[in-house]
Amino acid sequence: MSMNRRRFLQACGASAAVSIAPTRVKAASAPHVVVIGGGFAGATAAKYLRMWSDRTIDVTLVDPNASHTSCVLSNLVLNRRITLKELKMDYGSLSSFYGVNVVRDRANKVDGAGKRVRLKEGGWLNYDHLVIATGINMINPPSIDYKLTPHAWIAGGQTNRLASLLNKVGPDSTVIMTIPKSPYRCPPGPYERACLIADIIKRKGLEGSARLQVLDANSSIQAEKHTFENAFNNLYGNIVEYITDVEVEDVISTEGRVVTRTADYVGDVVNIIPQQRAMGFIRNAGLTGDGLWASVDPLTYASTVSGFDGVHIIGDSQATGQPKSAHMANAQAKVCVDAIIRSLAGVPNDDPERVANVTTASACYSPITYDQASWLSAVFAYNTESGQMALTHLGEADRWSTGNYRQMFGWASNLFTDSFH
Amino acid sequence: MNKKIVRTLCLGTLVAGVVPQVQAEDLTVNRLLASQCAQCHGTNGHSVGSIEGLTDESYKDLYEDLMDMRSEDRPENIMDHQALGYTDDQVRRIAHYFGTLSGKAGEAPEFKD
């Protein structure tokens, strides 16, 4: 064991006793980590950086909004089981309890060589490490008007708008929803939404009259295949028409018209979930190369692009191929935080003991009906041969149940709390 | 988060730092592994919802529970499937971390070969 490493291990224990309250005054030499984006990835990173360093690292969290609205559970706003308000997470705990410096601003430029990031209002901010967690950006069909045909794939005003549109579904109505090619945010999410829309139709007594067309750009169901196939073919067999390999080319929102390569589809309610990519902030910095997502080393989530020493990308924006979900974003944040703390302590991140134990876990519950849910479990571990995260075990629920529906809220409350409180 | 929890967290970290169960084991590696439980079971096992917390788990019991889940003939619960994603040694490290936090790491499990 090297001296550095011994000190590092001692630090993890010894300083804990004196760190009950966050300290506001820092030595001039305290390392500074800037986190851009206060969703699940960014909030978890900010919290765990403070917690695991025993508050010896200064953390600034930058987000343009005063709170984050969770996409997790947001399909339940569509069938009025919950309200959008219940999904709002503020940054109060992060700032007052953990001592994170929360700044309401928007980052617009990274200077990799100078190790600084520019904020729209606040100017340049220096960092020792920069964590970018800015989520997704939509690739809009050229003519789309989201006021008429919302995506509702980032929880917010569009979610309420889609809920209102679905409320008006009547006899003989056609609802259309589209699913983008993978990878996109939340692999089971669109299929879960299709089930809830079908359930809305069913509960209105419109089974056999109103219908839901699901246009999937993929060749098959992308997650929980057993569950959703069963739901589409049996539970909602008279409502859902599931069509594969349909890529959206344009959307004429005023006509409810979805233009695809093979045919036009016209609906009374149209929900377009567009293709997605990393935010412009990341792409413009050159962190995605020619691609849509940022390439990173999954041992540290550090960018693989040269010239960006100490720049990490976590959550939906990165390109490791792990599912883009809040649960995974939280998981990756912890691996990234661990790597940053080690790096600042001079402890190598490629130590074999660590490398053999870098894992990320995903669990998620999908509502299938008004009061029943299914679940998906996935664990990933670092594979030394490929240098990538590889699935070690995947499982899904045998059947949907009311017990799973109840447990879904237990899962969500801990996920929300572990990330934001 | 209340003060009691905070003290528990800090004490847990402190104990983890001075009583390593296995010689020269990097306890931050165990902490990283165990942190993947927190999304469902709460930060350091402090659950705020209906899913059970892990704050009272002993090293021995948690290890044995997780190993049982890994050896189900027909895994059906979500935890059976989660446990199947980890190696025996990873399960041991996770159990050791929570056992240390709860102050119940003293009695080691019987390890299966």
Side-chain angles (χ1 to χ4, degrees):
Chain A
M1 187 186 284
S2 73
M3 211 38 223
N4 267 343
R5 182 160 151 166
R6 191 182 304 277
R7 278 206 199 103
F8 167 67
L9 291 180
Q10 282 168 350
C12 289
S15 59
V18 292
S19 66
I20 287 168
T23 32
R24 285 179 178 275
V25 183
K26 287 281 162 198
S29 60
H32 185 216
V33 179
V34 177
V35 181
I36 307 294
F40 282 89
T44 305
K47 167 178 165 172
Y48 274 77
L49 276 163
R50 293 289 290 166
M51 195 170 83
W52 281 355
S53 76
D54 291 319
R55 299 180 158 91
T56 58
I57 296 173
D58 283 346
V59 178
T60 301
L61 175 68
V62 180
D63 194 279
N65 301 308
S67 62
H68 177 74
T69 304
S70 165
C71 285
V72 176
L73 299 186
S74 68
N75 276 336
L76 295 178
V77 175
L78 303 180
N79 66 352
R80 314 280 188 188
R81 293 304 310 260
I82 60 171
T83 62
L84 210 53
K85 263 189 192 164
E86 294 172 75
L87 298 177
K88 271 197 175 178
M89 318 287 152
D90 66 37
Y91 305 120
S93 292
L94 291 181
S95 61
S96 65
F97 185 81
Y98 292 100
V100 173
N101 178 27
V102 179
V103 174
R104 198 168 168 183
D105 207 335
R106 190 183 291 275
N108 57 21
K109 198 178 170 78
V110 186
D111 171 12
K115 296 193 90 168
R116 55 186 193 153
V117 57
R118 193 178 68 195
L119 308 187
K120 190 166 173 250
E121 307 292 335
W124 290 101
L125 211 52
N126 294 320
Y127 60 78
D128 294 293
H129 286 265
L130 178 69
V131 179
I132 303 175
T134 45
I136 53 167
N137 175 243
M138 300 300 181
I139 304 176
N140 301 323
S143 314
I144 198 163
D145 179 352
Y146 288 121
K147 286 195 182 72
L148 301 172
T149 56
H151 60 66
W153 211 241
I154 296 170
Q158 289 197 29
T159 313
N160 281 333
R161 206 173 306 143
L162 182 58
S164 304
L165 292 172
L166 289 169
N167 198 34
K168 290 175 194 148
V169 166
D172 304 319
S173 286
T174 297
V175 181
I176 295 175
M177 63 170 288
T178 70
I179 303 174
K181 260 205 182 308
S182 286
Y184 56 84
R185 168 175 284 179
C186 189
Y191 307 99
E192 164 190 309
R193 176 176 288 179
C195 286
L196 292 182
I197 293 174
D199 191 56
I200 289 170
I201 290 171
K202 199 171 186 173
R203 294 174 64 84
K204 280 172 177 270
L206 299 173
E207 188 172 2
S209 112
R211 62 176 181 157
L212 168 65
Q213 286 185 316
V214 180
L215 310 181
D216 195 338
N218 302 287
S219 305
S220 63
I221 291 171
Q222 298 297 294
E224 295 178 66
K225 203 160 183 243
H226 158 80
T227 298
F228 291 118
E229 257 177 15
N230 189 5
F232 289 176
N233 294 335
N234 300 309
L235 183 63
Y236 300 125
N238 294 329
I239 300 170
V240 172
E241 187 187 352
Y242 176 63
I243 309 167
T244 57
D245 300 300
V246 184
E247 279 188 63
V248 175
E249 293 197 320
D250 202 2
V251 178
I252 314 301
S253 301
T254 47
E255 301 172 18
R257 182 179 298 275
V258 182
V259 181
T260 78
R261 246 168 245 168
T262 45
D264 283 14
Y265 296 84
V266 180
D268 302 292
V269 177
V270 176
N271 170 216
I272 300 293
I273 305 172
Q275 292 296 140
Q276 295 151 31
R277 60 185 171 185
M279 291 291 278
F281 168 68
I282 296 176
R283 289 179 287 115
N284 296 340
L287 289 163
T288 54
D290 293 334
L292 299 175
W293 312 102
S295 172
V296 296
D297 172 3
L299 287 176
T300 59
Y301 290 87
S303 172
T304 56
V305 177
S306 65
F308 290 97
D309 183 38
V311 175
H312 308 252
I313 302 107
I314 55 173
D316 292 354
S317 311
Q318 51 73 36
T320 58
Q322 298 168 91
K324 298 187 187 301
S325 72
H327 198 114
M328 285 301 287
N330 170 302
Q332 294 156 11
K334 290 162 181 169
V335 175
C336 177
V337 164
D338 179 66
I340 289 172
I341 292 173
R342 291 174 77 99
S343 171
L344 289 169
V347 180
N349 280 306
D350 57 358
D351 182 290
E353 187 181 0
R354 178 176 190 270
V355 169
N357 291 296
V358 168
T359 63
T360 50
S362 176
C364 81
Y365 288 79
S366 294
I368 304 296
T369 74
Y370 190 77
D371 61 359
Q372 293 173 304
S374 176
W375 51 254
L376 174 69
S377 162
V379 180
F380 293 80
Y382 184 75
N383 182 300
T384 46
E385 279 170 33
S386 66
Q388 297 297 323
M389 297 301 286
L391 191 65
T392 57
H393 186 79
L394 180 70
E396 66 176 287
D398 286 344
R399 65 192 77 82
W400 49 82
S401 70
T402 51
N404 288 339
Y405 189 87
R406 282 193 300 272
Q407 201 163 54
M408 173 171 69
F409 292 97
W411 159 70
S413 57
N414 277 334
L415 175 59
F416 294 172
T417 305
D418 188 46
S419 305
F420 292 90
H421 301 285
Chain B
M1 194 179 284
N2 64 37
K3 276 186 176 167
K4 190 179 165 198
I5 295 176
V6 179
R7 275 198 294 272
T8 311
L9 298 186
C10 294
L11 182 64
T13 321
L14 183 65
V15 174
V18 295
V19 197
Q21 185 68 28
V22 176
Q23 193 191 358
E25 186 156 286
D26 184 343
L27 295 170
T28 66
V29 166
N30 299 8
R31 179 176 72 179
L32 177 58
L33 274 166
S35 72
Q36 297 298 328
C37 307
Q39 290 98 310
C40 293
H41 293 277
T43 304
N44 279 323
H46 290 271
S47 178
V48 296
S50 55
I51 295 177
E52 66 175 323
L54 299 171
T55 52
D56 199 36
E57 293 286 344
S58 74
Y59 181 20
K60 184 176 190 297
D61 288 351
L62 186 54
Y63 175 81
E64 287 170 3
D65 284 354
L66 286 165
M67 291 303 282
D68 283 348
M69 291 170 193
R70 284 166 49 70
S71 55
E72 288 284 344
D73 290 338
R74 197 171 168 281
E76 8 173 60
N77 297 322
I78 193 165
M79 262 316 299
D80 298 340
H81 286 282
Q82 282 283 310
L84 280 164
Y86 295 91
T87 65
D88 290 5
D89 186 57
Q90 287 167 345
V91 163
R92 182 192 61 71
R93 286 171 180 268
I94 290 167
H96 181 256
Y97 180 79
F98 286 110
T100 306
L101 282 189
S102 66
K104 296 178 180 177
E107 193 184 346
E110 285 176 29
F111 297 113
K112 294 169 187 172
D113 291 322

